[in-house]
Amino acid sequence: MKKFSYILMFALFAFFACQTDNTNFENLDTEATELKRSAATDVGVFKPIPKNAVKNLDAFLDTQLRTIAKSDPVRYGCVTFVDGYAFIDEDCTITSGVPERYRDCDIQYVRYLECAPNYYNPYCIICAVMFVVECDDELYWGIGYDIICDYSQPVPL
């Protein structure tokens, strides 16, 4: 009986290992369209930089930033900067650095957009950051965060 179960397990393993992945190109097209429609304040979504904009990257990034309201408060993703403080939405968890799915890319450019202490923990500074990364010889830009905390200080209650 043991032999039979080993053979059965091996057969199932071989069956699943030999399956080929089917790519649904319609879904890929839909995902690309959703990425293009996302707002400039989306965090973790990187948008391609056109080849003709690479020569004057600062001007291109400035035009992208103009789509974000410059009044007080200014919102980047789920962090709102108002009156010199950063407020994180209650249902949001933010991480520092380039978003996870772009960590294998090479960082080409970093621009700090706005920094402020967290209202509930003034020993943590939250910065909204514009990253430009290179993936597969293409440039992409997106918004992320940089979080700097002084852990030697007690968290205020």
Side-chain angles (χ1 to χ4, degrees):
M1 189 64 171
K2 263 187 179 179
K3 257 187 177 180
F4 179 71
S5 53
Y6 284 125
I7 291 172
L8 182 61
M9 291 297 286
F10 178 73
L12 285 173
F13 175 74
F15 174 77
F16 287 113
C18 293
Q19 295 295 313
T20 57
D21 290 336
N22 292 328
T23 304
N24 185 346
F25 290 103
E26 290 177 14
N27 286 348
L28 291 176
D29 187 41
T30 304
E31 289 173 12
T33 304
E34 288 173 5
L35 285 176
K36 289 177 188 172
R37 287 186 194 150
S38 61
T41 57
D42 286 350
V43 172
V45 177
F46 275 50
K47 297 147 206 78
I49 297 175
K51 297 254 188 236
N52 60 352
V54 173
K55 293 177 184 172
N56 195 352
L57 190 59
D58 282 325
F60 173 78
L61 295 175
D62 287 341
T63 57
Q64 301 306 311
L65 287 175
R66 279 190 214 114
T67 62
I68 300 171
K70 293 295 179 192
S71 62
D72 200 23
V74 177
R75 186 170 181 79
Y76 297 99
C78 58
V79 177
T80 303
F81 294 88
V82 61
D83 294 331
Y85 287 101
F87 295 88
I88 305 170
D89 293 351
E90 287 183 24
D91 58 344
C92 180
T93 302
I94 65 172
T95 58
S96 191
V98 177
E100 187 75 32
R101 65 190 270 199
Y102 296 96
R103 294 251 164 100
D104 291 337
C105 300
D106 296 324
I107 298 175
Q108 299 296 320
Y109 183 85
V110 176
R111 180 190 284 186
Y112 281 79
L113 304 175
E114 184 144 359
C115 294
N118 183 328
Y119 182 77
Y120 298 104
N121 184 357
Y123 299 115
C124 286
I125 305 295
I126 300 171
C127 296
V129 179
M130 177 181 276
F131 293 103
V132 173
V133 296
E134 182 180 3
C135 302
D136 302 323
D137 296 326
E138 297 287 329
L139 287 180
Y140 298 88
W141 75 275
I143 304 290
Y145 301 109
D146 194 5
I147 306 165
I148 305 144
C149 294
D150 181 1
Y151 292 106
S152 68
Q153 301 295 325
V155 176
L157 299 175

